[in-house]
Amino acid sequence: MKIHVDQLGYRPDSEKCAVLTAESEPKGWAYLKSEDGTTSVELSISAFGSDSYSGDSVWTVDFSDIKSEGRYFIEYYDCSRSGGEAESPVRSDVFSISRTVYQDVFKDLIHMFYFMRCGCELPEKYAGAYHHKSCHDGPTLRYDDGAMLPPMTGGWHDAGDYGRYTTPGAVAAAHLLYAYELYSQKCPDLLIPESGNGVPDILNECRYELEWLLKMQKEDGSAYHKLTTEKFSPFIMPEEDREQMVLYPISSMATADLGAIAALGARIYQRYDMAFATKMKKAAIAARNFLADHPDLIGFRNPPGNATGGYWDWDDRDERMWMYAELYRLTGDSKDLEMLQLLSGDNNPPKYPPELLASPFFKKLNLPQSVDKTVLGWGQVGGLAGMSVVFAPADTFPDELVSVFFDAFREKADSLLALTKQNGYRLAMPRDGFVWGSNMNVMNCAATLLTASFLTGNTEYVTAAEENVHYLLGRNPLDTSYVTGHGAHAFRNPHNRPTASDGVDEPYPGLVSGGPNAHPMDEPARAVIPEGAPPMCCFLDDVGSFSTNEIAIYWNSITVLVFAYFA
Ligand code: 9MR
Ligand code: ZN
């Protein structure tokens, strides 16, 4: 028998439930007890049945009625054996019921981006034990023509590796900017070099990435896909990685994402720095003009010899859609609106590149015809277009267009709501979400539900989103909190180069693990996770497990977007 709880805890007025797993039916009694001994409430145990995501037999105990703030645990007494001699009870981890239960973790989730800064020293004052010297500040070799360009410093390291990639960088910055736009009053002060300059710290941190993204734009308005070494570095500190930085070719995805984030940035920063906002507006328009002249997909594949992340994507309709949505909000130009209408309409089939159509794998890939309008990932950004449209001031976009996105959010949210009732851990995510970076999908589903709740007022969507938060913070079959430094059993061994080489035992706090992956690709995970294991269990807290336990800026950022609501 095990009792799984959110290891941070629950908000007082929310639904609250713990998951009990056992070999056979628990016939004893469960109690919610306060740590100070003043409260002891008997809870009823209800059967869920067998849960396919985890392989567990599940019972639940609901304690939603307990709303008093405090520190609690759940205790189960097995009195099923005759003789009356009670065995020692099974206890859950101690957790809080508190209005502010997610505030500290929210702050660390944002502060994480400071640790990911590239091209500057991280002094002890801001980085504590994780301080290190400046990195990746040498000259840049342009792949296209072999030209040696000045250093292109700045931005965040992408993930456990030290690459910097345009599409995931733009998406991560977007999650933070939308989080700020929707919940500005909740965004905390951080301790970063810019703190106290009169600009909210989440915007200060985000600007560090935006300044670098602007450098990734070519004179013709297009954007380079990535800036990385040729191969991944060994597990060394970033300043020890002195391999040549290479600027790889452009892609239409990178160009459109850059146009979108620059337009969004221009909108948000104009209150604080008009010159910076104007620079971004120009960049957005240049990207748009380039893409208008290049309507076909400009894909990206790693050139021979290059083995860093590919971030390949076969479809740029969603990136273009997001760009036109943000541009229209900025410029009000009817041509931008027309393009957005065209791209988000039904009469817009994908234009997969000929080499893909000719490949025998094409059918297996099962690529979609229509653009998903709710996804917020690195490769599919239709949901970012959606957020741009549905959260715009009334009358910005025509009603029919708003309805297209509104309906997409509601439909997706309804299907997620159904799922949350079908699995024992109440996770609102389809089974096929357990891929590399599943926690991004978990948070994406939560963000979709929250958006739908804003649109409809349906609080059931909020409850379902909150269940995903509980899953992330430890109410899962592995009893693992997937955020470092938060929760009784937080993962500790991320696939992250600085963590493995900085000589500090604990990883820095606020890192989100990629999470369970039903198709692990790395040796350590494959060695211990049996083929066909239940998806929620396909995880290994091991530094070598890049496909289940890496970290990435866009996994943190989507988590920031969700926690901004609950913090
Ligand atoms: O997050 C990406 C995941 O969705 C892909 O399945 C995986 C393999 O292509 O790549 C992940 O992104 C990695 C990137 O390619 C390089 N930096 C680390 C990223 C996180 O693992
Ligand atoms: Zn660096």
Side-chain angles (χ1 to χ4, degrees):
M1 144 95 53
K2 263 192 172 174
I3 307 173
H4 311 262
V5 294
D6 181 324
Q7 293 165 17
L8 293 193
Y10 303 79
R11 300 185 306 150
D13 296 320
S14 296
E15 275 191 25
K16 306 174 203 70
C17 123
V19 172
L20 252 74
T21 52
E23 299 288 310
S24 57
E25 191 188 343
K27 297 209 168 108
W29 287 276
Y31 296 88
L32 178 81
K33 295 187 172 182
S34 62
E35 209 180 22
D36 64 10
T38 56
T39 308
S40 175
V41 182
E42 194 188 331
L43 304 171
S44 58
I45 302 176
S46 25
F48 171 81
S50 154
D51 171 51
S52 73
Y53 282 9
S54 61
D56 289 339
S57 299
V58 165
W59 287 262
T60 52
V61 291
D62 191 294
F63 50 100
S64 304
D65 291 345
I66 312 297
K67 296 175 193 287
S68 308
E69 295 203 316
R71 301 275 295 159
Y72 298 89
F73 55 88
I74 290 166
E75 220 163 44
Y76 172 80
Y77 292 84
D78 184 1
C79 300
S80 57
R81 310 217 173 147
S82 53
E85 239 354 83
E87 289 186 24
S88 52
V90 179
R91 263 195 189 197
S92 75
D93 290 313
V94 177
F95 56 85
S96 299
I97 294 179
S98 161
R99 249 164 271 287
T100 57
V101 61
Y102 303 128
Q103 260 177 25
D104 288 349
V105 67
F106 179 50
K107 189 169 174 172
D108 281 347
L109 287 166
I110 305 173
H111 193 261
M112 173 268 195
F113 291 89
Y114 176 71
F115 291 119
M116 302 304 276
R117 286 191 189 191
C118 181
C120 67
E121 186 194 355
L122 304 194
E124 206 173 340
K125 177 168 180 203
Y126 308 112
Y130 309 104
H131 64 92
H132 67 76
K133 297 199 190 72
S134 179
C135 55
H136 304 112
D137 41 17
T140 310
L141 172 69
R142 181 159 56 194
Y143 181 86
D144 290 329
D145 57 1
M148 200 52 93
L149 310 177
M152 288 174 68
T153 53
W156 300 313
H157 298 137
D158 179 57
D161 67 308
Y162 295 132
R164 284 168 288 158
Y165 308 79
T166 303
T167 50
V171 167
H175 293 152
L176 297 189
L177 292 185
Y178 289 126
Y180 168 74
E181 195 172 38
L182 293 170
Y183 315 98
S184 56
Q185 72 295 350
K186 290 197 192 171
C187 294
D189 290 340
L190 307 170
L191 185 61
I192 57 176
E194 300 79 5
S195 296
N197 64 357
V199 179
D201 276 339
I202 191 168
L203 298 187
N204 280 326
E205 189 50 56
C206 203
R207 182 167 178 166
Y208 196 79
E209 178 72 3
L210 295 174
E211 297 273 14
W212 171 76
L213 281 167
L214 291 175
K215 296 182 188 173
M216 291 298 276
Q217 188 168 43
K218 251 174 114 166
E219 311 76 55
D220 64 3
S222 65
Y224 297 103
H225 195 73
K226 66 175 179 176
L227 175 61
T228 73
T229 49
E230 200 180 21
K231 305 210 159 52
F232 288 130
S233 81
F235 274 62
I236 52 179
M237 287 299 281
E239 64 270 31
E240 289 160 9
D241 178 21
R242 301 201 186 282
E243 290 297 313
Q244 179 63 54
M245 295 306 304
V246 184
L247 186 58
Y248 285 98
I250 65 157
S251 70
S252 51
M253 280 67 67
T255 305
D257 277 352
L258 191 138
I261 192 67
L264 169 60
R267 178 153 64 77
I268 304 264
Y269 287 83
Q270 57 191 352
R271 268 186 62 190
Y272 296 102
D273 184 341
M274 205 49 193
F276 181 51
T278 305
K279 196 171 158 192
M280 279 194 285
K281 183 173 177 181
K282 278 193 188 140
I285 289 171
R288 178 249 263 142
N289 292 346
F290 177 89
L291 289 172
D293 292 343
H294 297 83
D296 288 336
L297 177 117
I298 306 172
F300 180 86
R301 301 306 308 263
N302 279 349
N306 173 215
T308 51
Y311 287 116
W312 54 266
D313 182 355
W314 304 112
D315 192 352
D316 66 7
R317 288 174 300 167
D318 49 327
E319 285 82 5
R320 288 177 191 250
M321 195 164 88
W322 179 34
M323 178 189 73
Y324 284 114
E326 278 304 340
L327 261 166
Y328 182 64
R329 283 190 69 172
L330 189 66
T331 63
D333 187 329
S334 61
K335 285 205 215 78
D336 292 332
L337 178 60
E338 276 165 33
M339 285 306 292
L340 173 62
Q341 282 168 319
L342 179 77
L343 287 161
S344 57
D346 292 333
N347 194 14
N348 175 36
K351 290 185 261 177
Y352 295 125
E355 73 269 22
L356 176 67
L357 294 172
S359 101
F361 301 111
F362 180 66
K363 281 220 169 68
K364 274 203 225 153
L365 285 170
N366 196 15
L367 293 170
Q369 281 294 303
S370 59
V371 183
D372 188 308
K373 299 186 178 67
T374 65
V375 194
L376 307 165
W378 61 259
Q380 284 183 287
V381 300
L384 294 175
M387 292 189 69
S388 176
V389 170
V390 301
F391 290 122
D395 299 332
T396 306
F397 293 100
D399 287 349
E400 316 84 78
L401 183 76
V402 178
S403 307
V404 167
F405 286 95
F406 182 112
D407 292 347
F409 279 110
R410 202 186 32 207
E411 263 169 45
K412 181 66 91 53
D414 284 337
S415 71
L416 293 170
L417 204 55
L419 284 172
T420 204
K421 290 168 186 155
Q422 285 163 21
N423 70 86
Y425 288 86
R426 300 190 176 186
L427 188 70
M429 185 176 80
R431 195 186 176 98
D432 64 10
F434 288 100
V435 290
W436 190 325
S438 63
N439 283 334
M440 176 182 88
N441 299 335
V442 169
M443 289 293 104
N444 192 158
C445 292
T448 300
L449 285 157
L450 291 175
T451 301
S453 83
F454 278 120
L455 301 176
T456 60
N458 184 348
T459 54
E460 271 191 291
Y461 295 150
V462 177
T463 303
E466 205 159 358
E467 305 290 13
N468 285 15
V469 164
H470 299 323
Y471 165 86
L472 190 82
L473 294 176
R475 200 186 67 191
N476 55 54
L478 306 177
D479 271 334
T480 297
S481 163
Y482 292 115
V483 186
T484 52
H486 294 271
H489 316 284
F491 83 106
R492 296 182 60 226
N493 305 295
H495 180 85
N496 183 32
R497 281 166 176 70
T499 301
S501 52
D502 61 12
V504 186
D505 268 359
E506 289 297 316
Y508 33 83
L511 291 167
V512 176
S513 170
N517 177 357
H519 319 282
M521 309 275 289
D522 56 82
E523 283 309 315
R526 289 173 79 102
V528 297
I529 299 169
E531 193 86 27
M536 269 187 188
C537 303
C538 298
F539 171 76
L540 187 68
D541 183 13
D542 184 295
V543 65
S545 185
F546 53 83
S547 67
T548 80
N549 202 33
E550 192 166 345
I551 57 133
I553 50 175
Y554 48 96
W555 300 339
N556 255 76
S557 57
I558 184 89
T559 310
V560 167
L561 183 59
V562 171
F563 278 63
Y565 180 90
F566 292 108

